[in-house]
Every structure is written in C-alpha cells, then in structure tokens.
Amino acid sequence: MSSTPPHWLGDVESKPAPEPLNRVQALVNTVELPEGPDRLADPDDARPWLVATGLLGPESDLRPDDLALVRGVREGLRAMLVHNSGGPAPTPSAFAPLRDVATDSTARADIDERGEILLTATGDSVPARMIELLLIIRDAQRDGSWARLKACGNDECQWAFYDRSRNHGGTWCEMSSCGNKLKNREFRARKRSGKSG
C-alpha cells in the first residue's frame, strides 16, 4: 500500500482556500455528488489520504466507525458551506457529528519560538485529530475567511470552493456544466408533475 494518496479530482483545486482552511475544503471534496466516487468509502483508499492530510496518525488503526465519523463530519461541513453560499442553515442532525468531535476530542496548547500560541490534537486517531478542523474553522470565522469557503448551490454538485470575488458572489460551476444539470433536473421534475415550462 502506498503512503501517497492516489490522484483525486479534489487534489488540484481551481478555486483553493488558503492554508490551513484548504484542509476543510479537501475533506468536503472527497466525494463527487450525487453518486460519484467517494474517497472515504473504503479503508484502503481512505487511509493514505487521511494520513497525508493529518487526520490520522501514520501508526494508528483506521476503524469502520472512524470512516463513518469522517463522512458525517464531511457532510456537516458541506451543510455549513451551502449555508455560506446562501442556502439553508444546517440542521441539528448535520451538526451532530461536529458536536461529537467537539465533545470527545481535546486540544493541547503550546507556544512556538516566536511566541505564537498553537493548538493541536492530543491523539493520533481519527476522532482525536478531527478537533484540528474545528480549530481551523474557529480561526477562519474570526479572520473572515470562513464566509468565503462555500459549496455550489446545485445539490447534485455541492463542490467546495473558495470565493475570491470582490463582492463575495462567486460561484463554483459554470452554466455550461453544473447549471445545465440543474436545469435538466428541474425540467424532468416539471414533466413528471405534468407541468410544462
């Protein structure tokens, strides 16, 4: 098994978030919706990526429950990014995995040689390391960059992207790709309901 994750669509983002917020973006973009490949579906595929992104210690076990937690956190984060794009607020069930991480994980404070306060996870397991994502989000919410991390409004896409536009109105997809999928889906729904449009 290779320690380097295989190439994935999300490995090269055209609208990347700045570090370390790009770790949140990378997690959200581990699945191609609605029914595309999921990098976190199989432990053998997920493990190298989780280690490379710091969400699992190299010597730690990866349990099925760990993958379920990561996928739940991913979807909770996606719901938050949809909300950042003007979509509905996340539901309590979307927040549940994030709250589990907040409740069950701990961070250790340290001071670097420049006097900067550092907060890091206290363990190497997936549940322990997930706290680092919450710390990244907290910092991004404070500096204003969190509002720029968004997800495509098309529920068949919801790819995470970083909005660098001046008016904060950027979108991920172009009408020629994602927008056409959305229009076709709406057309099929109208046709099924007997409406013309």
Side-chain angles (χ1 to χ4, degrees):
M1 178 170 33
S2 168
S3 62
T4 305
H7 177 72
W8 188 261
L9 181 62
D11 289 343
V12 181
E13 292 291 347
S14 64
K15 296 181 181 183
E19 290 186 20
L21 192 54
N22 61 348
R23 291 179 66 193
V24 174
Q25 180 183 22
L27 175 58
V28 172
N29 289 343
T30 55
V31 64
E32 293 178 40
L33 296 178
E35 297 172 6
D38 184 344
R39 187 175 226 167
L40 303 176
D42 179 81
D44 291 335
D45 293 335
R47 182 180 181 73
W49 185 84
L50 290 167
V51 170
T53 57
L55 294 176
L56 178 68
E59 305 302 319
S60 294
D61 293 330
L62 180 61
R63 302 170 303 135
D65 289 354
D66 295 338
L67 282 180
L69 174 65
V70 176
R71 288 189 300 264
V73 167
R74 174 182 68 193
E75 297 314 313
L77 294 173
R78 185 185 317 281
M80 292 173 74
L81 300 186
V82 166
H83 184 61
N84 283 356
S85 297
T91 63
S93 63
F95 278 136
L98 298 166
R99 285 198 170 102
D100 289 345
V101 167
T103 301
D104 298 339
S105 303
T106 58
R108 177 182 61 239
D110 199 0
I111 302 174
D112 72 8
E113 59 279 350
R114 297 181 317 261
E116 186 176 345
I117 306 298
L118 307 173
L119 294 172
T120 57
T122 57
D124 284 338
S125 69
V126 166
R129 293 269 180 111
M130 296 301 286
I131 193 74
E132 291 187 7
L133 294 177
L134 298 185
L135 295 171
I136 290 168
I137 293 167
R138 183 214 47 193
D139 291 346
Q141 288 171 335
R142 289 180 176 174
D143 71 20
S145 59
W146 176 250
R148 289 183 173 270
L149 188 58
K150 300 177 177 182
C152 176
N154 179 349
D155 62 4
E156 288 191 5
C157 177
Q158 294 186 339
W159 196 259
F161 68 96
Y162 193 73
D163 181 0
R164 295 183 187 273
S165 67
R166 282 189 185 177
N167 67 357
H168 298 236
T171 60
W172 164 251
C173 297
E174 297 175 7
M175 194 58 169
S176 62
S177 58
C178 186
N180 280 339
K181 284 189 224 171
L182 184 58
K183 280 182 137 184
N184 288 336
R185 189 181 71 232
E186 290 170 351
F187 173 77
R188 287 189 303 271
R190 284 194 307 270
K191 192 171 179 181
R192 278 193 304 268
S193 67
K195 297 177 185 176
S196 62

